[in-house]
Amino acid sequence: EPEVTQTPSHQVTQMGQEVILRCVPISNHLYFYWYRQILGQKVEFLVSFYNNEISEKSEIFDDQFSVERPDGSNFTLKIRSTKLEDSAMYFCATSTGRNTEAFFGQGTRLTVV
Amino acid sequence: QQQVKQSPQSLIVQKGGISIINCAYENTAFDYFPWYQQFPGKGPALLIAIRPDVSEKKEGRFTISFNKSAKQFSLHIMDSQPGDSATYFCAAITNFGNEKLTFGTGTRLTIIP
């Protein structure tokens, strides 16, 4: 069964450092998303990406965050200057189209110290 | 108005019993309602989904009941098994090209022998 692959599984970084989280989408999927889940809380939408541009972003997705698909396959989330409150599980999700099933990766646990 | 409210926060059910999780929403633009199942350390996985033109959808032991006028929907797990122990999230997507999932707060379900 095709799956969304995320790397790394766990990233520890110092406050103020830049991190890049990577996602390999399912091959025929066209819509890409990042969500985050702070420990014990609900899953929150960060950003959606379609046709090489952001289609929507949440209030959480401020200027410190950026996304890109640099090589046409990997989909990345960059946090420029991490803060303690960025510590969370970050999930990449992909889908074939609107209002269709979104497949989630296993997540990257980001710990900012 | 974008929120999806979910209850209970946690639920303990005996093996063989019926697990019931409820969700409510305000935004009438929501038109796709998936339920996700999440095991510890894993990403959410789609369990079952419904559109508001039907009042019930059943897949195996899992049933969604949908009440459009009350803006409520619920997940019923029949003959609950220990393997069903997980966190369940209801979610919703709007019908005007906005692909993001708005998640409920989650229900931690524990099935006891």
Side-chain angles (χ1 to χ4, degrees):
Chain A
E1 184 176 318
E3 59 180 16
V4 177
T5 305
Q6 289 185 242
T7 56
S9 57
H10 190 190
Q11 173 94 43
V12 181
T13 189
Q14 284 201 320
M15 191 169 57
Q17 294 296 304
E18 175 183 285
V19 294
I20 298 176
L21 310 183
R22 292 183 169 80
C23 169
V24 178
I26 295 173
S27 62
N28 62 335
H29 286 195
L30 302 175
Y31 292 78
F32 312 114
Y33 317 85
W34 284 100
Y35 291 82
R36 81 170 185 192
Q37 185 179 31
I38 295 171
L39 186 63
Q41 298 186 23
K42 69 177 180 180
V43 180
E44 299 175 291
F45 170 79
L46 292 178
V47 65
S48 58
F49 190 85
Y50 170 71
N51 201 26
N52 284 320
E53 60 182 25
I54 290 173
S55 50
E56 185 176 355
K57 58 184 180 180
S58 73
E59 293 173 352
I60 302 168
F61 194 88
D62 61 22
D63 292 344
Q64 294 299 314
F65 291 86
S66 63
V67 290
E68 62 176 1
R69 202 171 174 220
D71 55 8
S73 59
N74 292 309
F75 178 51
T76 63
L77 174 69
K78 181 191 291 186
I79 309 175
R80 269 181 268 281
S81 178
T82 50
K83 301 182 276 245
L84 294 176
E85 54 265 37
D86 294 328
S87 296
M89 280 289 283
Y90 287 81
F91 293 105
C92 173
T94 72
S95 70
T96 55
R98 292 171 176 168
N99 288 2
T100 60
E101 178 179 359
F103 290 81
F104 283 76
Q106 80 282 13
T108 293
R109 181 175 296 282
L110 177 65
T111 303
V112 182
V113 296
Chain B
Q1 197 184 19
Q2 284 295 320
Q3 285 187 335
V4 178
K5 296 180 181 178
Q6 184 171 348
S7 63
Q9 189 174 7
S10 63
L11 181 62
I12 299 174
V13 174
Q14 274 203 313
K15 179 182 173 182
I18 303 173
S19 304
I20 302 174
I21 304 170
N22 300 299
C23 285
Y25 63 97
E26 290 294 324
N27 187 352
T28 54
F30 286 143
D31 81 333
Y32 179 68
F33 301 90
W35 284 88
Y36 282 81
Q37 180 187 56
Q38 185 181 31
F39 293 105
K42 302 290 186 182
L46 181 68
L47 190 63
I48 186 173
I50 196 168
R51 296 192 188 276
D53 51 350
V54 297
S55 59
E56 185 175 282
K57 183 173 181 181
K58 184 174 181 179
E59 289 183 2
R61 297 185 293 110
F62 301 91
T63 300
I64 301 177
S65 297
F66 189 86
N67 185 332
K68 188 173 181 178
S69 61
K71 292 185 283 205
Q72 295 174 347
F73 58 110
S74 60
L75 175 70
H76 296 233
I77 305 174
M78 313 299 285
D79 187 26
S80 300
Q81 298 297 312
D84 297 331
S85 297
T87 299
Y88 291 81
F89 292 95
C90 61
I93 298 179
T94 58
N95 62 4
F96 45 77
N98 175 336
E99 311 90 30
K100 74 177 186 186
L101 286 157
T102 299
F103 282 89
T105 48
T107 296
R108 181 173 293 196
L109 175 65
T110 304
I111 307 301
I112 56 174

